[in-house]
Amino acid sequence: MTLESVIFSVLAASAVGSALLVVTRRNPVMSALYLIVNFFCLAGLYLTLHAQFIAIIQILVYAGAIMVLFVFVIMLLNLGDERKLSDGVSWKKIVAAGFCAALLMEFVYILIYSEPSPAVMSASMATEIGTVEYIGSQLFTKFLFPFEITSLILTAAIVGAIVLAKRKLD
Amino acid sequence: MPDIQPYLILSATLFVIGAAGVVARRNAIIVFMSIELMLNSVNLSLVAFSAQLGDVTGQILVFFVMTVAAAEAAIGLAIVIALFRRKQTLNLDEINILKW
Amino acid sequence: MTSFAPYIVFLPFIGFLVLGLFGSRIKSEKLIGIIGSGVVGVSFAIAMAIFVQMVGEEPHARKHVVELFTWISAFTGTASSIHVVVAYQVDQLSILMTLIVTGVGFLIHVYSIGYMHGDAGFWRFFAYLNLFIFAMLNLVLADNFLLMFLGWEGVGLCSYLLIGFWYDRKFDVGGYAAGTATTNDAARKAFIVNRIGDFGFILAMLLIFHTFGSLRFDSVFNGAELMSIGNQAAFWITLLLFVGATGKSAQIPLFVWLPDAMAGPTPVSALIHAATMVTAGVYMVARCSILFALAPTTLQVVAIIGALTAIVAASIGLVQNDIKKILAYSTVSQLGYMFLALGVAAFSAGIFHLTTHAFFKALLFLGSGAVIHAMHDEQDIQKMGGLKKYLPTTYKTFLIGAIAIAGIFPFAGFFSKDEILWKAFSSEHGSVVMWAIGVIGAGLTAFYMFRLVILTFEGTFRFGEEVHPHEAPKTMTVPLIILAFLSLVGGFIGVPKSFFGNNMIEHWLAPVFEPASTKLLLIEEGVHATEYVLMALSLGIAAAGIYGAWKVYTKRPDIAESLRNKYTKVYSLLLNKYFVDEVYDKTVVGPTVKLSEKLLWKGFDVAVIDGALNGMASLVSVTALWFRKIQTGIAQTYAVVFVGGIVFVLAWLILK
């Protein structure tokens, strides 16, 4: 077992474990914390794929910004007794669980038995493309227009969020 | 060249866990977080493919997904706040005005 | 000049549009009258100019077709495509008809200015009349069957509109529906009976298109010339066309609508139900003469129906008391003569009688209108009498009309009727029996016409003190005088050889009927001694009829009385028009109404059609009641379905 595969196994196991905890915890704060753990694991996995830039912004944007927002909202709403929302087993959950299990099996079946696509890269490229310089140059040349559009989306989101969350429009 | 099959299987697993959270939980915030989980699992796939193909486009796409996710989180949470103010609850089963 | 033919047709249409759209705002009756009759007058002038030009042309070069625009053009698959052009054909026959329609039409328009004076629907009346002229001209000038059918239907519509013109008035149809009917019922009756005939026309048209692949007269008739006599298709086409003709021209068995059509204003009766529209069937048969020539059986049917109608209608006319109804039955009877002529392949004789009949019957109707006008809407001749003192002009002109229709030399009716009788006798398609029926009919005609004249104008007053008859205004008497003149001299266009004449009308129309005559191997005949004998006979019978009427109704009223008492059954049979209306009511109308109500409406419509519709609706609403539960409004449920969908799509992709 190589070092890489050991690292992958550890990260993968903790990612799956934390994900399961996210969806099973009753308390949203706990879920949020486990989600942060999950994001860190994913950032580690990105690193093993030589995607340094993505790994960094995964931590900065997701774990840092988005999750702070979540925790903030949870605290703001001050949800009292969460037990009210914890639910027993219903027909819907059984069906949903069945579907999800079936979906997972199908995914795995497809991934294992489908033909791998012919590889077209050289190993040296893999380490280069993940760097900040490379992605930055790509973003500001080839993907300049979509990049600028994202700023528009974010502006719209800010305005929308304010409008929606405001108590009263005046 | 890394073998990306384990990554893809992991991605699928995370996706299904997220989907299960979306369809099974009644707490709106947790459903929301499950959606983030699903988005992230897709991101993992994209990065893995990018690494395999040596093409940066996958990573660029992840970058955009993150921006959209940030926007979506802002809007979604604003909706959650507005909803909570109106209904005093986050139980999705009680938010059923979208029907006949 | 012939290129002006479309103007003849469209001028009345413009008049209709102007009067129909703005008529209600034109306050001056005079202006409405000038517009209404003016357009028809101009049409007549154009037609006259074209006629004069045609006279100067070679007989075989007198046919002109003016194409306006493509009406219908559709490719109907591999077999044939339908291509209908709005085109007007000016030839000897159609120009003659055009002259009659516009000429007599113009006089009647002028007459109407006086007759309809003060009526609330004055402008409406003239709009309808103009529309009628437009439709009628389409009928006679059309260059193909479809355009002719447009006119055919158009005149039917105008007839309906004008019969029911006084839609709020009661109308006594007598007999089975006495006292309850309105003019609207009469209008509907006319329309529906006409529809039956039109159905025949439509079928004939389809068959023509099927057989000849075209609806143009030229192509159809050229195709027909190549066929041999006794052709099966020609037989059915002509029979169906004749069904159409019986409807429009009020022949047995579809003549019942015409007497009731007298519910309309009298100028309408004169124009539509005497001079022009009812002769459309005659014109159509004459136009299709070559087709009829191919089917001797149909010709036989036409002749028999014509002869029967002539005598049956004349016999009913003997005992009627309504001045207009007598004239109506007389019209039916005279139309019967025309069909008799067509049936014995004497096409030009039929058209000749059509022409003279248009003159004297229009005259008689307009005269009766003047009488009715003077009598304040009284139509019962038993309540008239001695009117010649009050209405001298009307009396004189009416008398001329009566002599003309009775067929006394040298009035118009003599020549045309005698031509028909002679052809019925001499033609190989005719027979002595047909001639005899015709002569008896002529005697009856003379009798009932003079009964009408005497009861109306002669003798003593039989009206109340409060009625003060007065002569009609100039606008009414001038057309009467013109028509009286035409009735007097109209016959000279067809003086036969036996009178050292040249029979101009026959020569004029000869090129049109040439294909048919060639087909039937008709030969131009010389002068026969028999002709003089027969002529004298029919003249004698007509004179006897007049003398009989004079004798009975002036000197010996007791004869009529005793005859009535002696033959009560016959009298009531005639008075009730052979109970044809009652029979139709029992056998056709009643069952149809019953069937429609019980089976089609309450059975089929309510149960099956409405049932199916309502059943479908309630099925939807019941199932929706269950299915809408799926729509929980909970987004998560939808998400479950969503995931399920992905599962199944992936499963399908995998298993495929």
Side-chain angles (χ1 to χ4, degrees):
Chain A
M1 227 169 148
T2 60
L3 181 63
E4 276 175 2
S5 60
V6 169
I7 293 170
F8 173 78
S9 305
V10 171
L11 285 172
S14 32
V16 170
S18 59
L20 283 170
L21 287 165
V22 167
V23 298
T24 51
R25 289 309 89 190
R26 283 180 181 168
N27 191 336
V29 180
M30 295 303 289
S31 291
L33 292 176
Y34 284 116
L35 190 57
I36 294 171
V37 173
N38 182 267
F39 288 165
F40 272 101
C41 295
L42 284 177
L45 287 166
Y46 293 156
L47 278 179
T48 64
L49 288 166
H50 308 290
Q52 305 98 312
F53 176 68
I54 296 296
I56 294 299
I57 61 163
Q58 170 80 6
I59 290 165
L60 284 179
V61 175
Y62 260 122
I66 296 179
M67 287 322 296
V68 167
L69 200 59
F70 268 92
V71 174
F72 178 73
V73 169
I74 294 164
M75 300 299 181
L76 180 78
L77 295 180
N78 190 20
L79 296 168
D81 191 5
E82 262 303 302
R83 266 171 213 109
K84 276 191 295 186
L85 285 182
S86 64
D87 27 21
V89 179
S90 68
W91 66 268
K92 192 169 86 183
K93 279 193 180 170
I94 295 168
V95 173
F99 278 152
C100 290
L103 192 60
L104 182 59
M105 284 195 288
E106 284 171 349
F107 277 146
V108 172
Y109 175 88
I110 290 168
L111 290 171
I112 290 175
Y113 291 101
S114 60
E115 302 232 328
S117 63
V120 287
M121 61 156 281
S122 59
S124 61
M125 275 292 282
T127 47
E128 278 172 25
I129 60 168
T131 58
V132 179
E133 296 97 320
Y134 191 75
I135 289 179
S137 67
Q138 287 290 299
L139 266 183
F140 286 98
T141 54
K142 197 175 169 190
F143 298 97
L144 182 60
F145 185 68
F147 180 72
E148 293 297 340
I149 291 294
T150 53
S151 60
L152 205 65
I153 291 172
L154 287 172
T155 317
I158 292 162
V159 174
I162 292 168
V163 169
L164 283 168
K166 244 178 126 177
R167 267 178 204 286
K168 206 164 74 178
L169 285 173
D170 33 44
Chain B
M1 181 187 83
D3 179 16
I4 61 161
Q5 198 180 49
Y7 288 94
L8 293 179
I9 292 175
L10 174 63
S11 165
T13 312
L14 289 176
F15 183 86
V16 172
I17 291 169
V22 168
V23 294
R25 290 307 300 261
R26 300 207 306 201
N27 189 317
I29 297 225
I30 293 181
V31 168
F32 220 144
M33 287 191 272
S34 302
I35 293 172
E36 296 296 336
L37 208 52
M38 290 168 78
L39 278 169
N40 270 283
S41 73
V42 174
N43 280 355
L44 182 58
S45 289
L46 286 170
V47 174
F49 282 126
S50 170
Q52 190 198 27
L53 298 172
D55 188 343
V56 79
T57 312
Q59 295 189 23
I60 302 279
L61 199 53
V62 169
F63 175 81
F64 288 131
V65 169
M66 280 182 187
T67 0
V68 173
E72 175 246 347
I75 298 287
L77 288 169
I79 291 173
V80 165
I81 290 169
L83 205 62
F84 185 77
R85 249 187 227 141
R86 203 176 168 77
K87 289 252 178 189
Q88 296 303 320
T89 182
L90 289 178
N91 187 349
L92 286 176
D93 286 352
E94 289 175 32
I95 301 161
N96 60 353
I97 50 172
L98 269 176
K99 67 175 175 186
W100 27 274
Chain C
M1 200 61 215
T2 44
S3 59
F4 283 90
Y7 292 96
I8 304 178
V9 180
F10 283 100
L11 270 170
F13 189 63
I14 292 167
F16 160 70
L17 286 182
V18 169
L19 292 178
L21 292 174
F22 311 111
S24 58
R25 291 193 208 135
I26 303 175
K27 289 282 167 277
S28 153
E29 279 190 2
K30 207 171 176 183
L31 185 59
I32 294 172
I34 287 170
I35 296 172
S37 28
V39 286
V40 182
V42 174
S43 282
F44 176 68
I46 298 172
M48 203 63 187
I50 292 177
F51 173 72
V52 168
Q53 188 206 351
M54 282 169 77
V55 169
E57 288 170 336
E58 276 292 303
H60 285 277
R62 282 174 182 158
K63 187 155 110 188
H64 308 272
V65 176
V66 186
E67 284 195 20
L68 288 188
F69 56 90
T70 303
W71 181 13
I72 298 167
S73 185
F75 187 69
T76 54
T78 48
S80 52
S81 56
I82 189 163
H83 186 77
V84 180
V85 178
V86 172
Y88 295 111
Q89 173 182 306
V90 182
D91 68 355
Q92 290 91 333
L93 180 57
S94 60
I95 195 72
L96 180 68
M97 289 298 291
T98 307
L99 284 173
I100 296 171
V101 171
T102 51
V104 176
F106 174 67
L107 291 175
I108 293 171
H109 271 74
V110 172
Y111 175 90
S112 302
I113 298 174
Y115 189 81
M116 297 302 288
H117 171 69
D119 194 281
F122 193 85
W123 63 274
R124 196 159 54 91
F125 185 79
F126 275 88
Y128 289 166
L129 278 190
N130 276 351
L131 182 63
F132 169 78
I133 298 279
F134 166 70
M136 189 71 204
L137 289 171
N138 266 309
L139 201 166
V140 298
L141 283 168
D143 148 85
N144 55 64
F145 280 98
L146 202 62
L147 189 59
M148 188 187 199
F149 188 67
L150 178 87
W152 188 271
E153 291 293 292
V155 292
L157 168 73
C158 295
S159 163
Y160 165 79
L161 290 172
L162 285 162
I163 294 169
F165 182 74
W166 287 319
Y167 47 83
D168 47 353
R169 289 198 191 176
K170 284 246 179 293
F171 175 67
D172 182 23
V173 296
Y176 66 105
T180 56
T182 62
T183 56
N184 255 337
D185 294 323
R188 273 203 298 270
K189 185 176 177 183
F191 200 76
I192 290 165
V193 175
N194 263 303
R195 292 301 314 167
I196 297 170
D198 295 346
F199 188 61
F201 196 125
I202 293 171
L203 287 180
M205 250 194 322
L206 294 175
L207 205 51
I208 286 169
F209 187 71
H210 180 76
T211 312
F212 298 98
S214 171
L215 288 173
R216 287 199 91 131
F217 288 153
D218 270 353
S219 343
V220 173
F221 297 154
N222 287 340
E225 274 185 66
L226 303 174
M227 290 180 165
S228 56
I229 291 180
N231 187 294
Q232 197 71 21
F235 169 69
W236 287 110
I237 289 171
T238 49
L239 200 65
L240 288 167
L241 281 175
F242 183 59
V243 169
T246 55
K248 194 63 69 189
S249 293
Q251 296 297 293
I252 289 173
L254 298 178
F255 70 97
V256 289
W257 66 271
L258 188 55
D260 285 352
M262 296 303 127
T266 309
V268 172
S269 310
L271 178 62
I272 301 184
H273 305 121
T276 53
M277 183 188 90
V278 288
T279 61
V282 180
Y283 165 76
M284 186 258 282
V285 173
R287 171 61 71 200
C288 305
S289 54
I290 176 66
L291 287 174
F292 280 82
L294 293 175
T297 327
T298 319
L299 279 181
Q300 204 71 43
V301 173
V302 173
I304 291 168
I305 294 278
L308 274 180
T309 311
I311 186 109
V312 165
S315 66
I316 297 173
L318 287 177
V319 297
Q320 297 297 313
N321 287 321
D322 185 315
I323 184 168
K324 282 178 73 181
K325 284 213 174 139
I326 296 171
L327 292 174
Y329 280 107
S330 156
T331 306
V332 175
S333 165
Q334 297 301 311
L335 289 166
Y337 278 105
M338 295 174 210
F339 278 104
L340 174 61
L342 300 173
V344 299
F347 299 108
S348 53
I351 297 295
F352 182 27
H353 196 54
L354 186 161
T355 312
T356 57
H357 177 255
F359 296 149
F360 58 69
K361 191 46 70 63
L363 168 63
L364 289 170
F365 262 114
L366 295 185
S368 79
V371 170
I372 295 165
H373 196 68
M375 297 293 293
H376 303 292
D377 293 335
E378 179 57 66
Q379 303 194 3
D380 191 340
I381 53 171
Q382 292 187 317
K383 294 177 184 159
M384 297 176 184
L387 284 178
K388 71 175 167 186
K389 199 165 96 188
Y390 303 97
L391 307 170
T393 318
T394 309
Y395 170 67
K396 278 175 213 146
T397 52
F398 201 90
L399 192 63
I400 290 171
I403 296 171
I405 195 173
I408 300 298
F409 182 81
F411 289 68
F414 168 77
F415 293 104
S416 57
K417 192 181 282 181
D418 229 64
E419 178 88 5
I420 291 173
L421 291 176
W422 167 240
K423 286 281 160 62
F425 180 82
S426 67
S427 163
E428 56 177 306
H429 298 275
S431 65
V432 186
V433 182
M434 280 177 192
W435 173 81
I437 292 175
V439 171
I440 295 168
L444 294 177
T445 307
F447 184 84
Y448 69 68
M449 274 321 298
F450 276 84
R451 170 176 175 265
L452 173 61
V453 171
I454 290 160
L455 283 179
T456 309
F457 292 101
E458 307 281 349
T460 50
F461 323 121
R462 292 187 298 277
F463 41 85
E465 287 293 313
E466 70 283 356
V467 183
H468 301 287
H470 55 89
E471 184 60 279
K474 273 267 177 334
T475 48
M476 287 164 73
T477 51
V478 170
L480 286 179
I481 292 164
I482 296 171
L483 283 170
F485 174 72
L486 288 171
S487 304
L488 195 56
V489 303
F492 293 118
I493 58 171
V495 180
K497 284 216 181 83
S498 43
F499 273 91
F500 316 108
N502 198 17
N503 210 340
M504 282 185 288
I505 187 160
E506 194 174 336
H507 283 289
W508 174 255
L509 292 173
V512 180
F513 300 128
E514 199 176 72
S517 322
T518 321
K519 197 61 120 191
L520 289 169
L521 304 169
L522 298 182
I523 34 160
E524 216 171 318
E525 289 164 62
V527 179
H528 289 269
T530 346
E531 200 175 345
Y532 292 108
V533 177
L534 296 178
M535 212 175 272
L537 246 169
S538 64
L539 204 55
I541 286 177
I546 295 172
Y547 176 73
W550 179 75
K551 183 90 179 166
V552 169
Y553 290 100
T554 54
K555 306 270 187 235
R556 300 274 308 276
D558 51 306
I559 295 180
E561 199 69 36
S562 64
L563 276 176
R564 197 180 305 162
N565 294 334
K566 206 166 170 187
Y567 302 102
T568 336
K569 288 239 173 69
V570 178
Y571 177 73
S572 104
L573 189 68
L574 294 180
L575 192 65
N576 288 298
K577 312 140 195 171
Y578 294 99
F579 294 102
V580 171
D581 275 328
E582 284 76 0
V583 169
Y584 282 176
D585 201 46
K586 284 270 179 322
T587 57
V588 180
V589 180
T592 306
V593 170
K594 277 238 167 59
L595 184 80
S596 307
E597 191 184 319
K598 294 268 148 52
L599 186 70
L600 294 179
W601 170 30
K602 285 181 179 156
F604 189 73
D605 197 50
V606 172
V608 180
I609 293 180
D610 290 5
L613 220 61
N614 293 337
M616 206 87 86
S618 43
L619 185 73
V620 168
S621 88
V622 164
T623 45
L625 213 62
W626 291 99
F627 274 101
R628 71 175 180 177
K629 301 254 163 81
I630 292 174
Q631 196 90 356
T632 54
I634 299 166
Q636 268 184 315
T637 320
Y638 308 159
V640 173
V641 177
F642 198 119
V643 174
I646 298 170
V647 168
F648 285 119
V649 168
L650 282 180
W652 183 67
L653 285 173
I654 290 167
L655 296 175
K656 191 178 69 168

